[in-house]
Amino acid sequence: MTPSVIAGLLGAALVGLGLYGLILHPHPLRKLLAFNLIGSGVFLVFGIVARRGAAAGLRFDPVPQAMIITGIVVAFAASAVAVALILRLSAVGRRVTLDPEVPTRPDGGDAK
Amino acid sequence: MTELWTTTPGGYLIVLAILLPLAGIILSFTLGGRSAERVALGSTPFGLALACAIALHVGRAGKPIVYVIGALEPPLGIALRADGISAIMLITTAVIVTAAALYARAKFATPDGIRESRSSLIFWIMLQSIWAALIIIFVSGDLFNLYVALELLTFAAVPLVCIDGRPETLVAALRYLLFALFGSICYLLGVALLYGAHGTLDIPLLAQRVQSTPVVWTAAALMTGGLLAKTALFPLHLWLPPAHANAPAAASAVLSSLVVKGSFFLTLRLWFYVLPGLSADQAAMVIGCLGSAAIIAGSVMALRQARLKLLIAYSTVAQIGYLFLVFPLATGAQSWSAMSWSACFMQILAHAFAKAAMFFSAGLLAEALGHDQIARLGGAARVLPLTFLTIALSGLSLMGLPPSGGFSAKWLMLQASIISGQWFWTLPILAGGLLAAGYVYRILAPALSDDRISLKSSPKRSQEVLALGLAMIAIALGFMPQTFSDILEIGRPIAAALP
């Protein structure tokens, strides 16, 4: 097993774990952590892409690395927005959950 | 073909179009207070002029205009391209953002005696951010660049949902954010796979290099899935109604008529510009079925709502469904694909204008009556005739009655489905029209009754006229000349079968 394959499998495992958490955990904070787990997996895959140097047979391809950094910044900003929303929810004294109070959803279950 | 990778005359217009709202954001943020409103209102006419200038250039040249950033050619650099569909979408966006900004002056003007109010500052900055992100989505030629624009769009749209800070709006915003983040991370994984396989993310370059391999199919599936979640295609629509119904009226109008179209536009870019050669008949069929399900389910849900804004939001779910019929109807280089292509964009435009007019009117009603319960609208049309005229006109377009943009779109779709031999798509299109008639009737019928109703405050005439103007545009789209579909075809790759 080459290091690339191991890293790839690891990335897949992270994405899988994150997906599981995102869909099954009811608490928004846990969903957010799970989203970050998926993000790490995706960035790992990007890293392998960089190592393979797919663009022009380079030994290391810098373009995906630039993308990883941008992606991390974006994911960080996303987490910050989500945390701000969750904090605000708990500040207004409501139980932090995604259950909607509007009685319009016929299925009743949590969508995520 | 080299003209796709070198800056063309007029390319600088694209840069100006992006820089204008971005400069506006920075100015609004630094000057703060009342200036934010002035900057936003002052920049919208220039944005509209720039969008028209781009459209003129594209129309005259008959081919996309290109700006290569830093003269660094793709695959290493990034190119901005405005083709026919970008030009049309840029104009639509500019018109609706301008209307929303004018409409929002009543609610989000900084009150007298206060130097700065939090909600108005956020509103004006976020409105400009949405505008900037949409422009980048319409003109970017690089899939990763598009990812960043997509995220910008989400980050600008989410605060608008919860701008008044009520707990239920916070929940709606959080749910929206989580759906959107899930969507964009799927999209990003697809981008990584495509880059890994082909070493470029430039759209035309990628279109030359892609082959029908498992990697490309996986990437396409991931990206499409992510974008569908962001576009709120049934069954991933659960976040949309609470988010759009809880936002203030001006924000709901922008969210419903423009923001969901951003990710839809990207889906079109993916399938018709990056992967035109992939023979994706089955995938297109699946997406078409989801679209049909969205039309039926969204309309039925709209019929059952007690609140006006929720009804309108579910109607968005239904109208988005029509858009996805373009996938089975326009793939390949058949004689009917151009017809479906125009139908799709006519539907985007007609829905954008009609839905913005509807949300504006719903906002006016809620202000004037103090509630938005449909059951308690009795007699409202007698005291608010202009508002209900707007609702009726935009309802006409949503139902698809002639003459209106909605009619043209659905008529072209019906023709394309008959000519292409896919007659089964006519069923959801026609049923959706009937159901839309049902939910529009539900609003109008009680309002036209003889009941007496008292107004809490009389609505502003300027806001009523704005809403009516947008509804009139939705109707006038029905008289769009043939040049409309000619412009849409500019820069659209003709599908060539891949090995």
Side-chain angles (χ1 to χ4, degrees):
Chain A
M1 243 203 233
T2 62
S4 300
V5 175
I6 296 175
L9 287 177
L10 217 63
L14 279 173
V15 171
L17 277 173
L19 215 53
Y20 175 84
L22 192 63
I23 293 171
L24 284 184
H25 278 303
H27 196 282
L29 202 56
R30 285 190 179 245
K31 280 186 192 292
L32 182 62
L33 289 176
F35 159 75
N36 275 287
L37 222 52
I38 302 180
S40 310
V42 173
F43 297 140
L44 205 57
V45 173
F46 247 126
I48 306 158
V49 168
R51 198 184 149 81
R52 280 176 50 198
L58 303 167
R59 198 155 164 265
F60 285 101
D61 183 354
V63 176
Q65 297 179 353
M67 290 177 189
I68 295 175
I69 292 176
T70 317
I72 288 174
V73 173
V74 170
F76 173 73
S79 308
V81 174
V83 167
L85 279 175
I86 293 170
L87 278 176
R88 181 87 192 144
L89 251 186
S90 70
V92 295
R94 192 168 174 277
R95 206 164 59 84
V96 179
T97 160
L98 284 176
D99 278 340
E101 286 183 331
V102 270
T104 44
R105 281 155 42 76
D107 48 317
D110 195 356
K112 289 240 95 178
Chain B
M1 278 298 274
T2 51
E3 70 234 27
L4 281 175
W5 295 283
T6 45
T7 303
T8 58
Y12 66 93
L13 284 173
I14 308 178
V15 183
L16 284 183
I18 296 176
L19 283 182
L20 178 80
L22 285 180
I25 297 167
I26 296 170
L27 266 180
S28 308
F29 191 69
T30 43
L31 297 177
R34 226 168 282 277
S35 311
E37 181 190 343
R38 289 196 198 112
V39 169
L41 281 168
S43 62
T44 47
F46 293 104
L48 186 55
L50 275 173
C52 292
I54 290 175
L56 213 62
H57 259 277
V58 173
R60 277 226 192 102
K63 56 181 195 230
I65 56 174
V66 185
Y67 186 87
V68 182
I69 299 175
L72 204 61
E73 263 185 42
L76 203 54
I78 292 172
L80 303 173
R81 293 188 194 88
D83 49 12
I85 56 173
S86 327
I88 297 275
M89 293 307 293
L90 284 174
I91 296 182
T92 311
T93 307
V95 172
I96 289 180
V97 167
T98 310
L102 289 173
Y103 179 91
R105 276 177 70 191
K107 189 172 165 68
F108 290 106
T110 314
D112 289 327
I114 309 176
R115 227 177 59 73
E116 182 173 296
S117 93
R118 197 188 165 97
S119 64
S120 15
L121 186 66
I122 291 177
F123 176 83
W124 295 110
I125 292 178
M126 291 306 159
L127 184 66
Q128 295 177 80
S129 313
I130 285 184
W131 191 20
L134 282 170
I135 294 175
I136 302 175
I137 287 179
F138 296 146
V139 300
S140 182
D142 180 276
L143 289 179
F144 188 77
N145 205 339
L146 283 167
Y147 161 76
V148 178
L150 206 58
E151 288 292 55
L152 275 181
L153 189 62
T154 306
F155 297 163
V158 167
L160 280 186
V161 171
C162 58
I163 201 162
D164 58 3
R166 283 177 295 131
E168 62 266 34
T169 66
L170 288 169
V171 174
L174 193 57
R175 174 184 287 268
Y176 176 18
L177 182 65
L178 285 171
F179 260 88
L181 288 182
F182 171 71
S184 40
I185 209 77
C186 286
Y187 176 86
L188 186 63
L189 190 53
V191 169
L193 292 178
L194 277 184
Y195 189 89
H198 298 292
T200 180
L201 291 174
D202 183 65
I203 290 173
L205 267 184
L206 205 53
Q208 289 174 5
R209 294 186 190 176
V210 283
Q211 313 251 312
S212 185
T213 53
V215 179
V216 171
W217 277 105
T218 315
L222 280 166
M223 292 165 88
T224 312
L227 290 170
L228 295 190
K230 288 201 154 203
T231 318
L233 178 64
F234 181 86
L236 298 168
H237 67 285
L238 293 163
W239 61 266
L240 186 144
H244 287 192
N246 281 320
S252 306
V254 173
L255 292 175
S256 226
S257 53
L258 296 175
V259 171
V260 283
K261 308 287 163 47
S263 42
F264 177 73
F265 186 89
L266 208 45
T267 323
L268 288 182
R269 273 267 189 259
L270 177 67
W271 284 101
F272 291 96
Y273 291 76
V274 181
L275 310 166
L278 235 54
S279 60
D281 289 346
Q282 281 157 354
M285 205 57 104
V286 172
I287 295 181
C289 287
L290 288 178
S292 309
I295 298 174
I296 304 296
S299 305
V300 170
M301 289 302 299
L303 275 171
R304 294 176 48 191
Q305 298 309 312
R307 278 184 55 205
L308 179 57
K309 282 190 87 176
L310 269 172
L311 183 153
I312 304 176
Y314 272 106
S315 147
T316 298
V317 173
Q319 299 288 322
I320 286 170
Y322 284 103
L323 299 178
F324 284 92
L325 294 182
V326 72
F327 290 94
L329 289 176
T331 41
Q334 267 80 20
S335 55
W336 59 82
S337 48
M339 191 189 274
S340 323
W341 191 244
S342 325
C344 171
F345 277 86
M346 184 55 86
Q347 169 69 12
I348 292 182
L349 263 58
H351 174 248
F353 287 110
K355 196 47 66 77
M358 273 259 184
F359 266 121
F360 282 179
S361 309
L364 283 168
L365 277 182
E367 289 271 310
L369 303 176
H371 68 83
D372 74 339
Q373 300 292 324
I374 298 170
R376 288 163 58 201
L377 285 181
R382 289 146 62 88
V383 282
L384 299 166
L386 218 49
T387 305
F388 278 92
L389 179 64
T390 309
I391 293 181
L393 284 179
S394 38
L396 209 67
S397 178
L398 290 183
M399 286 180 235
L401 286 186
S404 67
F407 168 74
S408 304
K410 280 152 206 167
W411 179 246
L412 285 171
M413 274 182 206
L414 286 175
Q415 275 182 303
S417 17
I418 302 283
I419 297 173
S420 65
Q422 307 181 54
W423 58 269
F424 36 86
W425 301 123
T426 58
L427 300 177
I429 296 175
L430 292 172
L434 277 178
L435 289 166
Y439 60 70
V440 175
Y441 176 80
R442 265 198 70 205
I443 310 174
L444 292 179
L448 290 167
S449 68
D450 278 339
D451 298 354
R452 300 198 69 81
I453 195 163
S454 60
L455 293 185
K456 264 177 62 180
S457 61
S458 59
K460 280 208 162 142
R461 188 44 59 89
S462 60
Q463 286 183 314
E464 285 190 307
V465 171
L466 262 175
L468 185 61
L470 289 181
M472 298 290 250
I473 296 178
I475 299 288
L477 283 172
F479 302 101
M480 198 65 119
Q482 175 63 28
T483 38
F484 176 70
S485 41
D486 295 342
I487 290 182
L488 288 177
E489 289 295 319
I490 294 174
R492 182 173 163 226
I494 307 296
L498 278 180

